Amino acid sequence: AVTVAILASGRCPDLTPAKAGMYAVVQIAGGIAAALTCSFVYQGAALGLGPAGKSTWMGASVAEIVFTFVLAYVVLCVAVSQTTKVSHMFGFAIGSCVTVGGFAIGGISGGSLNPAVSIGLATPSFTLSMLLKALAYSAFEIIGGAAAAGVFKVTHEVDMALLEEKTAV
């Protein structure tokens, strides 16, 4: 979702759609490897994916969209924007979003916040039901990332002028 946000923001000219696709494939492979490792460590147990406890799909979808938006927007602000980028503490800001998101929505949706994590979680059980849940979660997360890119384009319009100046030289 963050890769989608960076690509959609238009602020990283080196990130072509082909490169973004390659990044996504590698991220998904990492998510699958992590989930298979976890399943091996816990003797074949698969982790759940879907609304937690008494939560509904509506609640899980809102939670994933909103907190993926927050994560992607913060990444765009602290790591991509030419005007608000910080060379220090950006990892702390991004990590804090993941931590807060996990605590805030873990009991609602599980707090995946990443299509690679969602697809990875679906892999060990390898059922159609889990695949559909992973696709639904991935869609929620991509919507959150795309929304972050849209808001970022509006709130950081000055970056485009700086980018155009930089590429013109």
Side-chain angles (χ1 to χ4, degrees):
V2 171
T3 302
V4 169
I6 294 170
L7 179 66
S9 76
R11 300 309 200 277
C12 190
D14 294 338
L15 183 63
T16 63
K19 276 187 184 178
M22 287 293 287
Y23 291 156
V25 167
V26 171
Q27 291 166 11
I28 290 168
I32 291 170
L36 291 175
T37 301
C38 184
S39 182
F40 175 76
V41 167
Y42 289 101
Q43 291 96 28
L47 299 171
L49 182 65
K54 294 182 180 183
S55 299
T56 65
W57 273 98
M58 179 61 76
S61 66
V62 170
E64 288 292 323
I65 291 168
V66 168
F67 278 90
T68 303
F69 168 91
V70 169
L71 172 61
Y73 187 76
V74 167
V75 168
L76 290 169
C77 290
V78 301
V80 176
S81 171
Q82 294 302 311
T83 54
T84 59
K85 182 190 309 188
V86 291
S87 60
H88 59 288
M89 302 293 280
F90 67 91
F92 182 72
I94 295 166
S96 294
C97 288
V98 174
T99 302
V100 168
F103 279 115
I105 66 171
I108 299 169
S109 68
S112 174
L113 305 178
N114 185 332
V117 171
S118 298
I119 292 168
L121 289 173
T123 302
S125 67
F126 204 67
T127 64
L128 179 59
S129 171
M130 283 298 279
L131 176 63
L132 292 175
K133 288 178 183 180
L135 293 175
Y137 266 59
S138 295
F140 303 149
E141 294 150 358
I142 289 169
I143 289 167
V151 171
F152 179 80
K153 280 183 165 186
V154 172
T155 60
H156 288 73
E157 192 174 336
V158 68
D159 281 353
M160 288 310 289
L162 292 173
L163 185 63
E164 289 170 6
E165 287 176 16
K166 189 176 182 180
T167 56
V169 173

